[in-house]
Every structure is written in structure tokens, then in C-alpha cells.
Amino acid sequence: MNKRIFFFVVLLLSLNTVYAENHPTRFVNTWIGTGGHGHVFLGANVPFGFVQVGPTEHTRGWDWCSGYHYSDSILIGFGHLHLSGTGIGDLGDVAFLPVNKPSQREIRFSHRDEISRPGYYAIQLRQPNVLAEFTATPRVAFHRYTFTNNGQPRLLNIDLEQGVGWDRLQTSHIRQESATMVSGYRISRGWASKQQVYFVAEFSQPVSVVKQEGDTILTIRVVDSPNPLLVKCALSAVSVENAKLNLKSELPGWNFGETVERAEKAWDEQLSKIAIETNDADARTIFYTALYHTMTAPSVFCDVNGQYRGADDGIYQGDFTNYTTFSLWDTYRAAHPLMTIIHTDRVADMAETMVNIYRQQGRLPVWHLMGCETDCMVGNPGVIALGDMVVKGLTRDPEAAYQAMKTSSMTDLRSINLLKQYGYLPFDKEPSNETVAKALEYCISDNAVAQVAKMLGHMDDYDYFHKRSLSYTKYFDSTTQFMRPIDANGQFRTPFDPFGGESLKDYTEGNAWQYTWLVPHDVKGLVNLFGSEKRFVEKLDSLFIVEGNLGEEAPPDITGLVGQYAHGNEPSHHIIYLYNYVGHPEKSAPLLRKVMHEMYHNDFDGLSGNEDVGQMSAWYVLSTMGLYQVEPVGGKFIIGTPLFDEVTINLSNGKTITIKALNNSSTNIFVKSCRLNGQPLTRPYITYKEFMDGGLLELEMTNKI
């Protein structure tokens, strides 16, 4: 789709306000983030569904992590599983591709021939001449192929060999069970160390095998029919039999249009949980696309009979919905707090999933994918996310969750042995470096354990973990006012460059400028390290102004820069809100509006960094509503600067809360006063309980403070 058509379509959708009030899918622009470094998934799925069916391209570099990038024009198949917004590529399993001949492995295409909206993706291919359309249920992809190739063979490849990025096939099997059914499995190794996908594909017409290449590629031909070919492909991580059960349960019929409508309805129901009022059509589109992006994952990872594959490769029977794709280092910051507002039922199941992962692998998930622990990123983010769920009362067994948190924080893995021995992470004892980032993340997770311990009455544990959560103070150099690595003798590493160069090895996808502020669990303590609020604010001011060279070794994740503030990566996401803790909301509001307007666009390159499985979008959703949970555990939502005139959130408990920004405008960006249910609110935040009790939050806006 060229830009002229692209923006014309967006304009038409935004003008159709009356219809779209109950159909917010009409505001979603699924192409946002498919260019630049967004790495988002493009294709058909339903909210939190296991199946994400869509186009897959050759992996040509980092920007193809989802399997698709807008700059490309060659397809290698329509895979049934994809990632969205990650920094590593995987999945792409069980790829279908219409072909002219069995040996064909790719097709050129034009974006002018693509149509995409929530729950539906279509593309008119030219060689061969086929209209390919896709929709989905949670566990089943529904294909429709309309061939118009003038009597040429109607061929379709089913390819189990290809994957995305790091994924490599280990073993596979494919066979034709009958004239209308093909089944098999694919086991691969990539980011997920043992990724197992079983499938069954049922055809609306008899097909015959034209060619089979071992157990990896099967070419089939539609037998004598001018009608479109419909294919229902169900997946399971357990077995082919379970895939058949998923197919029978979720998609017994053959009505493609009706299935599209159901998928769209599922998206409408979820997106309707938040209603906004604004005259800014682009902001409306960006908002609902962001909300849409937050619901790709975590994704369902169990079959309709409750069976799922555990982290120990065993098969379990669950009485809850099991999930996978936990990008926790990213999502504990905003995506999971957003879920605790509008998806509390799912959150309870996610908590159950995480505790069961602990039981199966001996510790809570770090970055879990397809039942496998990838150990990607630093710290103990699963402890943080689960701690927030416990404190908010969203877990079924708080004590079991606590034991999982405590045990995961007392292992000897991932440098925790050094933390227990020294009380901090000395860089000369940690060969893999990144000690500042690791240590600061452990302080946040230790605070989570301490809060839950105190809540449940485990006071000795509270004292221990609270003390550990304060070890961030050891890294602060009062002379330079930066968090710096220290050795076993407590000495700072030298030489030191806060911008980059060799010093980047002590941080994770960032530098000292960004990581100095990573103490969201104890902002008051961080302020005290600077000696005064005045010095804290002066240093914070400089973050958004100073410029420096990060060097050739800087990772590509450090993007979306305002000075050295990097909105394109998660460790910076809370920083602007720190002004509100020291009584300077007049400093945060202009920066927040700047990020909202400059780091999010209604365009292919619409994100300043990786979507990161919903986190980048969740920041926008919460911030444009005027709220953000800075402290990762507990639910203290800091009041920022609402972008929209009115927001109504339909809470999972059946209540609603409305946020009204009175006299809101592009110049009236400062909150002059707050009222909660008619009563003055004299603090700069609203609690989770107050939020979930519903009602009316009125924010009076002004052009100065």
C-alpha cells in the first residue's frame, strides 16, 4: 500500500466515528511498527491467541525479528506463529505458500496488494495469481485461496523447514492422512531451545500429493475444482491428536466470512475496554493500535482440553489458561500493570502459569517462549511481575507465589550467588559483565519479594530482602553522580565514560546516563544519594539535554533519544515521571507530550524502538490517559499529563472509571488540580484500589503552574 492510499484509508476510518464507537478496530492501523525498528507482527490473530498467521520473509537482519519488515517485497510463506516486537527472531512454523511449481520457494509481492486489519490479512499474489486470505481463532488459522491462474495447476507448498531468524529445524514429520487432511509436527531449536509444534490441516476440497521432500516439504494439488480452497490449520504444542481436538472445538464449520467477523468481534470487545474522546484522529489511531499491540502476548499455550507442555517438557493437565511468550524484562514496567486494570481474569491465569513454570524448572520465568526458558535479559523480572500481581490481590494462592519469588531470588544462578556472597555484584567476579544493570534489576526484584513478604507476615524475609533491595547505593558515585561498576574491594572501575565506549559492557542496552535512574522502587532513596532534591533535579535536567558519542559498539536498541534519555528502550520508560516525585510536574509534562508526539507516529516507522511484546505501546496507552505506574509493585499510578479530553476504562471487575481532562489542549498540558469522585486529591498519584473502585478522576488543565 503506497503512502497516499495508506493515509487516505486511515482518514476514511477516522471519519467514520459514529460506526466506530462500538467498533474500535476501525481505528487500528496494523502497519504501525512494521517499518523502522518496530519489529511488530503483521497478520491475523485474536487477542492473546496462540496462532498468529501471516506473511514471512527472508531474514535479512535484525529488523526481520517478527518475520516481516515493510522494506521487503519477497515472501517465503505464511507461517502460523510469529513474535511481535522482539529483539531476537524465532517461530515462523508450518508455512504455507501457493506456488507455480513444487520447487518454488518465494514470491515477489507489492504492498499495494495487501489488506490488513485486526483478525484479517489478505494479499493478492501475482506469481501465481492467487488471492490469499487469513483469519484465526485462538488455536486455528483459517486460510482461503482464490486461484485465478487460467487453468494452471493449483499448487500449495507446506514447508516445515523454514523458520524466522535463529530458528533451525531439528526434526519434522508430515503426511497426508486422507484426501482432505494433512498432519505432522515440527521440532526446532532457536531462541526456544526445544520448540515443538504439532499441526493438522483440513482442506475443503480433495487434494493430492504432487511431491514430497522427505519429512519437511509437501506440495499438494487441488483436485478438479474451480472453487476457492479453504484450509483450516490447527496447532498444538502437545500432539497431533490435540491439534485435531482444537480444530473440532474451535472451528467445526467452513464459513470464512463468519470466522472473520468473530475475530473482529473479539478484538472489538477487548479494544472497547477503553474509550477515548479526542479530536486528534492520528492520536486516536495510534492509541487503539497501541492497545491492539498490547494484546498479542502473552499468548495462550494450552489446548482446549486444558493440556499443555510444561517447562520440563512434561505434559500437564490444567484447570486454567496456560500462557507463553513472557517478555518480562520489558513488560513488567507498563504492559503488565495495564493488564492488572483491564485483564484481571487473564492476569490470574498468567500468575498461575508463572508459578507452575517455577515448579517445573525450579525458578520463575525470565523470558519464556514455547515452554522454554531463554534466560534472555538480566535480573529477575518474573519476580517483579508476579509480585505486583500478588500485592494487587490477583493471584489465587499468594503464599505459593511468594515461595516461588523467594526461591527464585535465592538460587546460585545468573550471578545471584555473587549477590548473596558480597551483597552486590563485583565486576571482577562476573565474567559476563553488565553488572550495574544486573544489580539494579535485582534490587527491584528484591523489593518485590520484600513487599510480598511483609504483606504475608514473613518479617525476617522482609528484613533480608529489603536490605538487599537497597544495595543500589553501593554503585552510586557521588563525585560523578552516576551509577558505576565496582569491584570486590568496593572500588569503581576506571576508566569510565558515562556515554559509551568500553563502559557499555557494564550496562545492558544502555549507558550510565540511562541506568543511573533505574531505582523506581525507592525514588526517595535515589534522591537522597544526590544530596538534595535540587541536585537531583539538576542532574535529571541534564539527562534530556546532554549529547555524547555512544561509540561503534552501542547496541541498536538505544534509540528514541532526547539528550541521553532513550525512549526506544525500556530502562528509560519511568524516568520522566521522576520529576513528579520531587514536586516538579511542570518539568515532566512538556517532556511527556514531546515523547507522545515525536516517538509515536501513524506510519510504518511509527515506533522509536522495538515494540517489545507490548511494552512500548503500553507506555503510550497509560501515559496518554495521564497515568503511569513508576514503582513496579503495588499500583501507585503517578498523574502525568493526559493527551485525551476524556477516557473511560471498563474495568475487569465490572466497574468503570472516567478520567476527564478539563480545559485540555496543546498548550494546557499542566495539571492544576485533581478531584477524585468530587473530592480534592492533594497527592500526585491514584492508588490501584482507588482506580479499581471506579468513579471519576477530574484533572483541571492549565498552560502554566
Side-chain angles (χ1 to χ4, degrees):
M1 182 179 288
N2 62 38
K3 285 199 171 184
R4 179 180 298 176
I5 296 174
F6 178 88
F7 287 112
F8 180 69
V9 170
V10 171
L11 177 61
L12 286 179
L13 294 180
S14 64
L15 290 174
N16 195 8
T17 306
V18 175
Y19 176 73
E21 283 180 353
N22 298 316
H23 298 274
T25 52
R26 297 300 190 267
F27 294 133
V28 174
N29 177 1
T30 59
W31 272 280
I32 291 177
T34 59
H37 298 318
H39 299 188
V40 304
F41 160 68
L42 183 76
N45 64 331
V46 293
F48 304 101
F50 180 44
V51 165
Q52 297 113 22
V53 59
T56 305
E57 302 165 341
H58 290 289
T59 299
R60 305 185 191 278
W62 186 58
D63 283 327
W64 277 258
C65 288
S66 73
Y68 180 97
H69 194 265
Y70 192 78
S71 64
D72 210 338
S73 59
I74 296 178
L75 295 180
I76 58 173
F78 298 100
H80 286 73
L81 295 173
H82 291 86
L83 293 169
S84 186
T86 57
I88 298 178
D90 208 329
L91 306 183
D93 299 74
V94 190
F96 283 59
L97 185 69
V99 293
N100 281 319
K101 54 186 178 180
S103 61
Q104 186 176 351
R105 295 290 181 268
E106 62 182 37
I107 298 177
R108 288 193 172 274
F109 74 100
S110 170
H111 294 298
R112 292 189 300 270
D113 297 327
E114 292 183 285
I115 299 174
S116 178
R117 62 179 187 267
Y120 176 80
Y121 172 83
I123 183 170
Q124 177 63 58
L125 302 173
R126 304 298 177 184
Q127 294 293 329
N129 198 343
V130 180
L131 174 62
E133 301 171 273
F134 305 90
T135 189
T137 68
R139 300 169 181 85
V140 186
F142 203 175
H143 308 217
R144 181 164 67 183
Y145 299 99
T146 303
F147 295 85
T148 54
N149 52 357
N150 299 322
Q152 295 298 312
R154 302 178 178 211
L155 304 179
L156 193 69
N157 277 346
I158 305 175
D159 187 347
L160 305 186
E161 183 173 7
Q162 69 169 5
V164 173
W166 284 253
D167 179 84
R168 294 293 180 269
L169 178 67
Q170 300 295 297
T171 183
S172 63
H173 178 70
I174 188 169
R175 72 185 185 96
Q176 185 174 18
E177 291 195 10
S178 69
T180 57
M181 184 170 288
V182 169
S183 66
Y185 61 81
R186 182 180 191 270
I187 301 175
S188 61
R189 182 179 182 86
W191 197 5
S193 58
K194 190 179 181 183
Q195 177 181 312
Q196 302 178 64
V197 178
Y198 298 83
F199 76 95
V200 59
E202 185 177 10
F203 303 91
S204 61
Q205 303 164 19
V207 298
S208 62
V209 175
V210 174
K211 184 179 181 181
Q212 182 163 359
E213 299 180 27
D215 273 343
T216 59
I217 301 175
L218 189 71
T219 304
I220 61 172
R221 177 177 180 172
V222 183
V223 178
D224 299 328
S225 175
N227 298 321
L229 173 65
L230 302 177
V231 186
K232 299 184 293 188
C233 185
L235 303 185
S236 166
V238 173
S239 66
V240 169
E241 289 307 309
N242 273 17
K244 291 179 179 178
L245 181 61
N246 292 339
L247 175 61
K248 181 179 179 181
S249 300
E250 290 190 354
L251 196 58
W254 290 96
N255 192 321
F256 185 85
E258 184 179 276
T259 309
V260 172
E261 290 177 3
R262 286 202 304 268
E264 184 174 278
K265 182 180 179 181
W267 279 112
D268 275 328
E269 288 176 351
Q270 296 300 317
L271 295 173
S272 295
K273 289 183 175 181
I274 304 179
I276 63 173
E277 289 188 11
T278 180
N279 293 322
D280 188 335
D282 270 347
R284 183 189 294 112
T285 294
I286 295 168
F287 179 87
Y288 279 110
T289 305
L291 190 57
Y292 166 77
H293 282 155
T294 67
M295 300 182 198
T296 298
S299 52
V300 169
F301 193 61
C302 60
D303 296 320
V304 293
N305 61 2
Q307 289 186 339
Y308 67 94
R309 186 172 297 276
D312 57 358
D313 203 27
I315 304 302
Y316 291 85
Q317 181 69 50
D319 58 358
F320 65 101
T321 300
N322 191 67
Y323 286 90
T324 189
T325 318
F326 285 103
S327 181
L328 294 163
W329 182 85
D330 306 291
T331 56
Y332 83 73
R333 305 167 201 266
H336 278 284
L338 176 63
M339 290 180 207
T340 65
I341 295 172
I342 59 174
H343 302 302
T344 55
D345 53 340
R346 293 183 185 271
V347 168
D349 283 343
M350 290 176 193
E352 190 84 2
T353 298
M354 294 170 71
V355 172
N356 281 317
I357 289 173
Y358 152 73
R359 291 171 177 146
Q360 294 153 13
Q361 69 177 26
R363 55 197 172 104
L364 285 168
V366 177
W367 211 124
H368 233 253
L369 176 62
M370 297 295 290
C372 301
E373 182 57 75
T374 71
D375 271 318
C376 189
M377 307 311 294
V378 298
N380 238 339
V383 171
I384 304 170
L386 184 58
D388 191 43
M389 299 173 193
V390 175
V391 171
K392 290 175 177 174
L394 300 177
T395 55
R396 299 186 179 100
D397 189 341
E399 187 62 41
Y402 173 68
Q403 292 303 322
M405 294 170 63
K406 178 182 175 180
T407 302
S408 301
S409 302
M410 292 298 292
T411 71
D412 287 335
L413 302 173
R414 294 169 58 83
S415 306
I416 295 179
N417 60 318
L418 296 175
L419 180 60
K420 292 189 294 184
Q421 181 180 352
Y422 291 91
Y424 63 95
L425 301 183
F427 68 80
D428 54 338
K429 301 296 182 180
E430 170 53 277
S432 61
N433 295 315
E434 299 182 290
T435 55
V436 178
K438 292 175 181 177
L440 295 178
E441 290 286 351
Y442 281 136
C443 287
I444 300 171
S445 61
D446 285 342
N447 172 263
V449 184
Q451 287 199 53
V452 176
K454 186 175 183 178
M455 171 184 165
L456 297 178
H458 303 297
M459 297 312 296
D460 288 344
D461 287 351
Y462 166 77
D463 291 338
Y464 173 80
F465 284 104
H466 176 66
K467 181 180 179 180
R468 253 179 41 173
S469 75
L470 301 179
S471 65
Y472 69 86
T473 60
K474 300 178 186 294
Y475 297 87
F476 187 77
D477 176 8
S478 59
T479 302
T480 63
Q481 294 186 330
F482 285 109
M483 295 287 183
R484 295 179 56 182
I486 49 179
D487 64 18
N489 296 316
Q491 301 299 309
F492 292 113
R493 187 203 292 271
T494 56
F496 168 67
D497 179 356
F499 291 98
E502 274 292 304
S503 293
L504 285 175
K505 65 187 176 185
D506 297 308
Y507 308 89
T508 299
E509 297 179 0
N511 62 19
W513 276 103
Q514 292 130 31
Y515 271 91
T516 293
W517 314 100
L518 191 59
V519 191
H521 64 291
D522 186 23
V523 178
K524 182 178 179 180
L526 177 62
V527 172
N528 290 339
L529 290 179
F530 284 86
S532 69
E533 287 188 358
K534 181 176 182 293
R535 295 182 68 186
F536 175 86
V537 171
E538 288 174 348
K539 185 71 172 185
L540 189 53
D541 286 345
S542 67
L543 172 70
F544 300 98
I545 300 171
V546 68
E547 295 182 0
N549 184 11
L550 279 70
E552 295 181 358
E553 299 300 317
D557 305 80
I558 307 176
T559 57
L561 291 172
V562 180
Q564 285 297 294
Y565 171 84
H567 192 73
N569 212 19
E570 280 65 30
S572 287
H573 277 189
H574 69 290
I575 294 177
I576 298 176
Y577 288 94
L578 296 181
Y579 280 119
N580 298 66
Y581 280 78
V582 289
H584 286 286
E586 81 283 357
K587 289 179 176 287
S588 66
L591 287 166
L592 289 170
R593 289 287 182 109
K594 179 181 179 69
V595 171
M596 293 175 197
H597 290 304
E598 296 183 9
M599 302 298 173
Y600 297 86
H601 301 286
N602 185 14
D603 203 346
F604 311 105
D605 187 5
L607 297 171
S608 60
N610 292 353
E611 170 56 33
D612 279 319
V613 197
Q615 170 60 28
M616 195 67 64
S617 288
W619 185 96
Y620 186 86
V621 170
L622 286 171
S623 293
T624 56
M625 294 195 304
L627 303 169
Y628 194 81
Q629 182 176 309
V630 173
E631 298 164 42
V633 174
K636 183 187 290 183
F637 288 91
I638 302 300
I639 297 171
T641 174
L643 186 63
F644 305 120
D645 301 333
E646 185 172 316
V647 178
T648 299
I649 302 106
N650 297 306
L651 303 169
S652 294
N653 59 12
K655 299 179 181 180
T656 63
I657 184 168
T658 298
I659 303 170
K660 284 189 176 182
L662 307 175
N663 303 315
N664 190 33
S665 69
S666 60
T667 55
N668 289 357
I669 65 173
F670 306 103
V671 177
K672 180 180 179 181
S673 63
C674 306
R675 290 188 301 274
L676 179 60
N677 295 324
Q679 299 301 311
L681 187 66
T682 57
R683 45 182 160 80
Y685 64 88
I686 179 175
T687 68
Y688 178 73
K689 182 181 184 304
E690 289 169 335
F691 201 98
M692 299 305 287
D693 282 343
L696 174 63
L697 177 64
E698 296 173 286
L699 307 176
E700 185 179 353
M701 309 301 292
T702 183
N703 61 1
K704 61 181 179 180
I705 293 182

